[in-house]
């Protein structure tokens, strides 16, 4: 199920702020998330980072999902995407999640809550 991210807090989405980095050249936040994938609650654990107004990276912290699914592809697919864009609207992400809809949607929904939190904090120089 797709959630309306604006209606969820970070804890409700299974996420927490991990670190905030702000200096003259880098403005970023990393989030740690645990979401329910195809194999059940807490089956996908990851960190997602945003910096300088872009998706910065995805780190798998452990999961019980298929090794053939989207998880190994996420970091390379999202790195550098403008953070004003939701993942579910991104063509590269849509192509990568073919066949792994439950996991990909759960991850994208949690990331969307993090993205909205980041964009509320981020202000470019």
């Amino acid at each position: 199920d797709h959630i309306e991210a604006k209606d969820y807090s970070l804890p409700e989405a299974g996420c927490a702020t991990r670190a905030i980095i702000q200096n003259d050249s880098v403005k970023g936040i990393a989030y740690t998330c645990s979401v329910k994938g195809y194999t059940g609650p807490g089956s996908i654990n990851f960190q997602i980072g945003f910096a300088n107004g872009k998706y910065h990276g995805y780190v798998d912290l452990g999961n019980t999902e298929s090794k053939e699914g989207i998880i190994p592809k996420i970091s390379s697919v999202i790195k550098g995407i403008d953070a004003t864009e939701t993942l579910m609207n991104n063509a590269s992400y849509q192509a990568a999640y073919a066949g792994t809809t439950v996991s990909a949607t759960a991850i994208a929904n949690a990331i969307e809550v993090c993205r909205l939190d980041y964009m509320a904090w981020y202000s470019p120089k």
Side-chain angles (χ1 to χ4, degrees), residues 1-30:
D1 294 322
H2 183 70
I3 63 169
E4 289 297 323
K6 66 183 180 343
D7 297 332
Y8 283 76
S9 67
L10 287 170
E12 288 171 325
C15 301
T17 305
R18 180 73 173 171
I20 297 176
I21 302 161
Q22 185 168 359
N23 61 37
D24 290 341
S25 61
V26 178
K27 292 183 178 186
I29 300 180

Short mmCIF file of all heavy atoms in Angstrom, two decimals, residues 1-30:
data_model
loop_
_atom_site.label_atom_id
_atom_site.label_comp_id
_atom_site.label_asym_id
_atom_site.label_seq_id
_atom_site.Cartn_x
_atom_site.Cartn_y
_atom_site.Cartn_z
N ASP A 1 0.83 -1.19 0.00
CA ASP A 1 0.00 0.00 0.00
C ASP A 1 0.87 1.25 0.00
O ASP A 1 1.84 1.33 0.73
CB ASP A 1 -0.89 0.03 1.24
CG ASP A 1 -1.90 -1.09 1.23
OD1 ASP A 1 -2.41 -1.41 0.14
OD2 ASP A 1 -2.16 -1.65 2.30
N HIS A 2 0.48 2.20 -0.80
CA HIS A 2 1.21 3.46 -0.85
C HIS A 2 0.67 4.38 0.24
O HIS A 2 -0.53 4.53 0.38
CB HIS A 2 1.04 4.10 -2.22
CG HIS A 2 1.82 5.37 -2.37
ND1 HIS A 2 3.19 5.36 -2.45
CD2 HIS A 2 1.44 6.65 -2.43
CE1 HIS A 2 3.61 6.61 -2.55
NE2 HIS A 2 2.56 7.41 -2.55
N ILE A 3 1.55 4.96 1.02
CA ILE A 3 1.12 5.88 2.08
C ILE A 3 1.20 7.31 1.59
O ILE A 3 1.92 7.61 0.64
CB ILE A 3 1.97 5.72 3.35
CG1 ILE A 3 3.44 6.10 3.09
CG2 ILE A 3 1.86 4.34 3.93
CD1 ILE A 3 4.27 6.24 4.33
N GLU A 4 0.45 8.16 2.21
CA GLU A 4 0.59 9.59 1.97
C GLU A 4 1.62 10.08 2.97
O GLU A 4 1.32 10.28 4.15
CB GLU A 4 -0.75 10.30 2.15
CG GLU A 4 -1.75 9.99 1.05
CD GLU A 4 -1.27 10.46 -0.32
OE1 GLU A 4 -0.63 11.53 -0.41
OE2 GLU A 4 -1.53 9.74 -1.29
N ALA A 5 2.84 10.24 2.53
CA ALA A 5 3.97 10.51 3.42
C ALA A 5 3.76 11.75 4.28
O ALA A 5 4.21 11.79 5.42
CB ALA A 5 5.25 10.64 2.60
N LYS A 6 3.08 12.74 3.75
CA LYS A 6 2.89 13.97 4.52
C LYS A 6 2.11 13.73 5.80
O LYS A 6 2.16 14.53 6.72
CB LYS A 6 2.21 15.03 3.66
CG LYS A 6 0.79 14.70 3.24
CD LYS A 6 0.22 15.77 2.34
CE LYS A 6 -1.16 15.57 1.85
NZ LYS A 6 -1.84 14.35 1.89
N ASP A 7 1.40 12.62 5.88
CA ASP A 7 0.60 12.30 7.05
C ASP A 7 1.34 11.44 8.08
O ASP A 7 0.76 11.08 9.10
CB ASP A 7 -0.69 11.57 6.63
CG ASP A 7 -1.57 12.45 5.76
OD1 ASP A 7 -1.50 13.68 5.90
OD2 ASP A 7 -2.31 11.90 4.93
N TYR A 8 2.59 11.10 7.82
CA TYR A 8 3.34 10.21 8.70
C TYR A 8 4.56 10.92 9.29
O TYR A 8 5.24 11.67 8.60
CB TYR A 8 3.84 8.98 7.94
CG TYR A 8 2.75 7.97 7.70
CD1 TYR A 8 1.79 8.17 6.72
CD2 TYR A 8 2.68 6.82 8.46
CE1 TYR A 8 0.78 7.25 6.50
CE2 TYR A 8 1.68 5.89 8.26
CZ TYR A 8 0.73 6.11 7.28
OH TYR A 8 -0.26 5.19 7.08
N SER A 9 4.81 10.66 10.56
CA SER A 9 6.03 11.16 11.18
C SER A 9 7.15 10.15 10.88
O SER A 9 6.89 9.03 10.44
CB SER A 9 5.85 11.28 12.69
OG SER A 9 5.71 9.98 13.26
N LEU A 10 8.37 10.54 11.13
CA LEU A 10 9.49 9.61 10.94
C LEU A 10 9.28 8.31 11.73
O LEU A 10 9.40 7.23 11.16
CB LEU A 10 10.82 10.27 11.32
CG LEU A 10 11.34 11.32 10.34
CD1 LEU A 10 12.51 12.06 10.93
CD2 LEU A 10 11.72 10.68 9.02
N PRO A 11 8.95 8.37 13.03
CA PRO A 11 8.77 7.11 13.77
C PRO A 11 7.63 6.23 13.21
O PRO A 11 7.76 5.02 13.17
CB PRO A 11 8.46 7.56 15.20
CG PRO A 11 9.05 8.92 15.31
CD PRO A 11 8.91 9.52 13.93
N GLU A 12 6.55 6.84 12.78
CA GLU A 12 5.44 6.07 12.20
C GLU A 12 5.86 5.37 10.91
O GLU A 12 5.34 4.31 10.57
CB GLU A 12 4.24 6.97 11.91
CG GLU A 12 3.52 7.44 13.15
CD GLU A 12 2.47 8.49 12.85
OE1 GLU A 12 2.67 9.32 11.94
OE2 GLU A 12 1.45 8.48 13.55
N ALA A 13 6.81 5.96 10.20
CA ALA A 13 7.30 5.37 8.96
C ALA A 13 8.41 4.35 9.21
O ALA A 13 8.91 3.75 8.28
CB ALA A 13 7.81 6.47 8.03
N GLY A 14 8.81 4.18 10.48
CA GLY A 14 9.88 3.24 10.81
C GLY A 14 11.26 3.83 10.68
O GLY A 14 12.24 3.12 10.53
N CYS A 15 11.36 5.17 10.74
CA CYS A 15 12.64 5.85 10.51
C CYS A 15 13.02 6.79 11.64
O CYS A 15 12.16 7.27 12.36
CB CYS A 15 12.58 6.64 9.21
SG CYS A 15 12.19 5.63 7.77
N ALA A 16 14.31 7.04 11.74
CA ALA A 16 14.83 7.99 12.72
C ALA A 16 15.97 8.76 12.08
O ALA A 16 16.67 8.25 11.19
CB ALA A 16 15.34 7.25 13.95
N THR A 17 16.19 10.00 12.52
CA THR A 17 17.31 10.78 12.04
C THR A 17 18.58 10.22 12.63
O THR A 17 18.67 10.00 13.84
CB THR A 17 17.17 12.26 12.47
OG1 THR A 17 15.92 12.75 12.01
CG2 THR A 17 18.28 13.11 11.89
N ARG A 18 19.56 9.98 11.82
CA ARG A 18 20.81 9.40 12.26
C ARG A 18 21.87 10.48 12.52
O ARG A 18 22.54 10.48 13.51
CB ARG A 18 21.32 8.41 11.20
CG ARG A 18 22.59 7.74 11.51
CD ARG A 18 22.40 6.71 12.57
NE ARG A 18 23.62 5.96 12.74
CZ ARG A 18 23.81 5.10 13.68
NH1 ARG A 18 22.87 4.88 14.57
NH2 ARG A 18 24.93 4.46 13.79
N ALA A 19 22.01 11.39 11.58
CA ALA A 19 23.03 12.43 11.71
C ALA A 19 22.67 13.61 10.83
O ALA A 19 22.07 13.44 9.78
CB ALA A 19 24.39 11.89 11.30
N ILE A 20 23.04 14.77 11.27
CA ILE A 20 22.86 15.98 10.48
C ILE A 20 24.24 16.59 10.27
O ILE A 20 24.99 16.76 11.22
CB ILE A 20 21.93 16.99 11.18
CG1 ILE A 20 20.53 16.40 11.34
CG2 ILE A 20 21.89 18.31 10.40
CD1 ILE A 20 19.58 17.27 12.11
N ILE A 21 24.55 16.87 9.02
CA ILE A 21 25.84 17.46 8.68
C ILE A 21 25.56 18.80 8.03
O ILE A 21 24.82 18.88 7.06
CB ILE A 21 26.61 16.57 7.70
CG1 ILE A 21 26.81 15.18 8.28
CG2 ILE A 21 27.95 17.20 7.32
CD1 ILE A 21 27.13 14.13 7.26
N GLN A 22 26.15 19.85 8.58
CA GLN A 22 25.95 21.16 7.97
C GLN A 22 27.23 21.96 8.13
O GLN A 22 27.73 22.17 9.22
CB GLN A 22 24.79 21.89 8.64
CG GLN A 22 24.47 23.21 7.98
CD GLN A 22 23.15 23.79 8.47
OE1 GLN A 22 22.47 23.22 9.29
NE2 GLN A 22 22.82 24.96 7.96
N ASN A 23 27.81 22.34 6.99
CA ASN A 23 28.95 23.26 7.00
C ASN A 23 28.83 24.11 5.74
O ASN A 23 27.79 24.14 5.10
CB ASN A 23 30.28 22.51 7.10
CG ASN A 23 30.54 21.57 5.94
OD1 ASN A 23 30.19 21.86 4.80
ND2 ASN A 23 31.12 20.43 6.21
N ASP A 24 29.88 24.79 5.37
CA ASP A 24 29.79 25.71 4.24
C ASP A 24 29.48 25.03 2.92
O ASP A 24 28.89 25.62 2.04
CB ASP A 24 31.09 26.51 4.11
CG ASP A 24 31.25 27.51 5.24
OD1 ASP A 24 30.23 27.83 5.90
OD2 ASP A 24 32.38 27.95 5.47
N SER A 25 29.87 23.75 2.76
CA SER A 25 29.68 23.12 1.46
C SER A 25 28.75 21.91 1.46
O SER A 25 28.28 21.51 0.41
CB SER A 25 31.04 22.69 0.89
OG SER A 25 31.65 21.77 1.76
N VAL A 26 28.48 21.32 2.62
CA VAL A 26 27.64 20.13 2.66
C VAL A 26 26.50 20.34 3.65
O VAL A 26 26.72 20.74 4.78
CB VAL A 26 28.45 18.88 3.09
CG1 VAL A 26 27.54 17.67 3.18
CG2 VAL A 26 29.59 18.61 2.14
N LYS A 27 25.29 20.06 3.19
CA LYS A 27 24.13 20.10 4.07
C LYS A 27 23.41 18.78 3.87
O LYS A 27 22.80 18.55 2.83
CB LYS A 27 23.19 21.25 3.70
CG LYS A 27 23.78 22.61 3.99
CD LYS A 27 22.78 23.69 3.66
CE LYS A 27 23.36 25.05 3.99
NZ LYS A 27 22.38 26.10 3.83
N GLY A 28 23.52 17.89 4.87
CA GLY A 28 22.94 16.57 4.68
C GLY A 28 22.37 15.97 5.93
O GLY A 28 22.67 16.39 7.04
N ILE A 29 21.50 14.97 5.72
CA ILE A 29 20.93 14.20 6.81
C ILE A 29 20.91 12.73 6.38
O ILE A 29 20.60 12.42 5.24
CB ILE A 29 19.48 14.62 7.14
CG1 ILE A 29 19.40 16.09 7.55
CG2 ILE A 29 18.91 13.75 8.26
CD1 ILE A 29 17.99 16.57 7.88
N ALA A 30 21.25 11.86 7.32
CA ALA A 30 21.11 10.42 7.11
C ALA A 30 20.02 9.91 8.03
O ALA A 30 19.90 10.36 9.17
CB ALA A 30 22.43 9.71 7.41
#
